[in-house]
Amino acid sequence: MSEANKNTIERHDSKVKRSQQQSPSAARSSSSGERSASARIIAEQQPVMRSVAISPASHQERILLHEPALQRVNPGGLGIRPPRGVDLQPELLDTASTKQRGQPRLGGKAKSLSSLGEVRVWHVDHASLTGRPDDFPLLRTSRVVHSAPAHVISKRISSCIQSRSIKTKFSKSDNNGNVAKCRNTDFCKFTISLYSGEDGGVLVEVHRLCGDCISFMKDCRAILNSAEGNKELHPSEDKPLFLCRPVSEMKFFKMASLPPLSQKEEADCVNITSGLLSSHQCDTIMLGMESLVVQTDPLKSTKSTAIMASRMILCPNDSGNQSFNVHNYIMSLLIFTDQDAYSTPEGSVLTSLEDHSTKLRNLAMSALSNALSLFAAENTLLTIISPHREWYSNVLIPKLLQDLSTAARHPFDACYASRCLSTLAESSVDFALVMKDAGGHEAVASAQEVGAREFAMLARDAENYHNILSCCV
């Protein structure tokens, strides 16, 4: 082979090697070019973010967070409120003018439970029952009842709801379905639905929406048992054994060798609750309020701790209120929270912010009721509140009567208001006279009617208050 042919072959081989070495990079460049071209044609799909903003509107934000100054004002007469949307500045308390100005009175006279109306009944026509939608699995909290038609079952459920003091809104038309929207005393929300079941039976389904699971299951079992016609336990019989008597009187507590709590340790427990209430965060405040209700209950806490927390609620100048004034915060929630601002039309649903404010105020009333009952049992209530007796007479009592008169819209608050009024009236004849002049008999009459019709717990508390008020004045 000639030298020229060898050189030609070598040049050809070198070109082949270079092309083989360059082919991966060329392939990468071509593929990247294709991807960039496709990227320019088809945009990348972004995932849908399922989220909501929970910051409240500026006009709904709470102001009473860091040690609110409790303004000593008169909340006005029963049933008088400024128009919605009008922000009126509270007037300073003038005791003389308050006594001269007559309080508006509600019509009617107080009645006994025997003379009140019957329980509100949920009317359901058996022929109007529809089949259950199959787009959602059947809940375990459901039963099929074959022993009775729908109108009998709904009447049984109505009686159970009233006896367990569950606030309920019944559907008014067949278009909305045979549904009852419920909220129990622990603010657990659930629905009761009736459907046509197999073999002509009635399917009763109870669906929890939100709230405590244990509280829901107690009511759910009672409702399903009542739908079948079984005897239901009274709500007081559902109370655990360890809540039937104070912890300090239980046998295990007396036999246990526990070191005694020092006063500093008890104060630290109460101060933790005070620190939670002074927080900016809504959940922290709610936790602090729930803790305060437990600490003021001698059945769930030691007696010394309950006395310490109760003094902070009733006495604004108590030494425990130096870092954060619990008295001012609790009383501000009771006096200055406008309940009608959180009243919704029939059938509508409360927002999270409205539900939070409603529950927070209800817990505050529960803590106040515990504190008043504790010192009344010790016969020291008048001594504790004597420096501020005029304020209790002219500000707190009219506000509690106002809560009692709005029992149809706020039955939970009316229950605790009647308990507070009962304790104050039993402790002092002067307080009872103030209640009588402010329309106490008329307010308790309307509360008794609401309780007998819808709310058994309110009926019992209102009857007790009516008996005390009648004996005192």
Side-chain angles (χ1 to χ4, degrees):
M1 182 179 297
S2 63
E3 189 68 23
N5 292 335
K6 290 181 179 180
N7 294 335
T8 302
I9 293 173
E10 290 176 358
R11 286 196 299 270
H12 177 71
D13 293 340
S14 62
K15 289 180 180 180
V16 172
K17 291 180 181 180
R18 285 197 300 270
S19 63
Q20 292 178 351
Q21 293 175 357
Q22 294 176 357
S23 60
S25 60
R28 285 195 298 269
S29 62
S30 62
S31 62
S32 61
E34 292 175 358
R35 284 198 300 270
S36 61
S38 62
R40 288 193 298 270
I41 297 174
I42 302 176
E44 183 180 358
Q45 293 183 354
Q46 298 294 333
V48 179
M49 304 304 294
R50 300 181 181 274
S51 61
V52 293
I54 60 174
S55 58
S58 58
H59 66 280
Q60 293 179 325
E61 291 180 354
R62 290 202 56 82
I63 300 175
L64 302 173
L65 286 176
H66 284 288
E67 196 169 357
L70 180 60
Q71 304 177 40
R72 302 291 171 171
V73 303
N74 180 14
L78 296 178
I80 292 185
R81 291 184 178 275
R84 188 170 295 182
V86 178
D87 186 13
L88 297 181
Q89 295 296 330
E91 300 176 357
L92 295 178
L93 174 63
D94 187 355
T95 306
S97 62
T98 301
K99 293 180 180 180
Q100 295 174 2
R101 183 170 60 249
Q103 298 285 357
R105 305 176 68 87
L106 301 173
K109 297 181 180 180
K111 304 177 182 179
S112 63
L113 287 180
S114 59
S115 62
L116 296 177
E118 297 181 353
V119 176
R120 185 180 59 157
V121 178
W122 182 19
H123 297 284
V124 177
D125 186 10
H126 191 87
S128 65
L129 293 180
T130 59
R132 185 186 183 279
D134 55 359
D135 56 352
F136 193 81
L138 182 64
L139 300 176
R140 291 183 294 177
T141 53
S142 60
R143 292 182 190 175
V144 179
V145 181
H146 296 278
S147 59
H151 69 276
V152 176
I153 295 174
S154 61
K155 187 175 181 179
R156 294 172 179 172
I157 294 176
S158 301
S159 178
C160 177
I161 288 174
Q162 190 272 346
S163 65
R164 301 189 69 84
S165 303
I166 300 175
K167 186 178 180 181
T168 311
K169 291 181 180 180
F170 299 123
S171 58
K172 291 186 175 181
S173 63
D174 296 338
N175 296 331
N176 297 329
N178 299 303
V179 179
K181 300 178 181 179
C182 308
R183 185 176 67 181
N184 65 8
T185 54
D186 294 324
F187 281 77
C188 176
K189 295 182 179 181
F190 56 92
T191 60
I192 306 173
S193 303
L194 301 184
Y195 302 103
S196 60
E198 299 178 354
D199 301 330
V202 178
L203 174 62
V204 183
E205 186 177 49
V206 187
H207 184 195
R208 184 179 71 92
L209 303 178
C210 64
D212 182 30
C213 298
I214 298 177
S215 175
F216 165 73
M217 287 307 301
K218 290 180 180 179
D219 290 330
C220 177
R221 293 190 186 100
I223 291 171
L224 295 178
N225 289 334
S226 65
E228 292 181 332
N230 300 330
K231 181 182 178 181
E232 59 169 309
L233 293 177
H234 193 271
S236 60
E237 299 177 7
D238 291 344
K239 183 181 293 186
L241 182 62
F242 63 85
L243 292 182
C244 295
R245 60 188 307 180
V247 177
S248 57
E249 297 181 6
M250 294 184 179
K251 184 177 180 180
F252 84 92
F253 190 84
K254 296 179 180 179
M255 298 177 59
S257 58
L258 299 175
L261 288 176
S262 64
Q263 188 174 2
K264 182 179 181 303
E265 291 174 335
E266 293 179 347
D268 290 340
C269 296
V270 180
N271 289 335
I272 291 175
T273 300
S274 177
L276 294 174
L277 293 175
S278 64
S279 173
H280 279 292
Q281 300 177 355
C282 294
D283 291 343
T284 306
I285 297 174
M286 185 65 70
L287 180 61
M289 193 64 69
E290 292 173 349
S291 176
L292 185 64
V293 173
V294 172
Q295 288 181 343
T296 54
D297 189 353
L299 292 177
K300 303 176 182 178
S301 179
T302 60
K303 187 175 181 179
S304 55
T305 302
I307 291 177
M308 186 178 301
S310 299
R311 285 184 62 90
M312 294 173 62
I313 294 176
L314 299 181
C315 304
N317 300 326
D318 186 76
S319 59
N321 289 328
Q322 293 180 356
S323 59
F324 179 79
N325 201 312
V326 177
H327 169 86
N328 286 358
Y329 185 77
I330 296 296
M331 298 304 176
S332 297
L333 284 175
L334 301 185
I335 296 173
F336 299 114
T337 300
D338 187 7
Q339 289 179 295
D340 285 347
Y342 300 113
S343 296
T344 57
E346 187 73 18
S348 58
V349 181
L350 289 175
T351 64
S352 298
L353 180 64
E354 294 167 347
D355 201 22
H356 174 86
S357 300
T358 302
K359 183 177 180 180
L360 193 67
R361 188 178 189 275
N362 186 257
L363 290 174
M365 297 194 71
S366 177
L368 175 62
S369 175
N370 291 342
L372 292 173
S373 300
L374 177 63
F375 286 115
E378 298 293 324
N379 295 323
T380 58
L381 179 59
L382 292 181
T383 305
I384 294 295
I385 65 177
S386 58
H388 312 282
R389 187 164 182 167
E390 183 180 3
W391 181 84
Y392 276 84
S393 298
N394 297 314
V395 178
L396 182 61
I397 288 179
K399 184 60 180 178
L400 292 176
L401 288 173
Q402 191 179 69
D403 292 330
L404 187 62
S405 64
T406 59
R409 298 193 302 273
H410 308 284
F412 298 111
D413 291 348
C415 288
Y416 292 115
S418 63
R419 296 178 188 180
C420 295
L421 291 169
S422 300
T423 305
L424 292 172
E426 195 173 15
S427 63
S428 172
V429 178
D430 294 335
F431 284 153
L433 292 174
V434 170
M435 297 174 191
K436 180 182 178 181
D437 295 338
H441 286 292
E442 292 81 358
V444 73
S446 63
Q448 282 183 292
E449 293 178 357
V450 174
R453 189 172 63 251
E454 307 176 18
F455 225 72
M457 184 171 66
L458 176 60
R460 294 190 297 268
D461 292 337
E463 185 184 23
N464 181 45
Y465 172 54
H466 169 249
N467 295 335
I468 292 175
L469 194 62
S470 299
C471 295
C472 294
V473 293

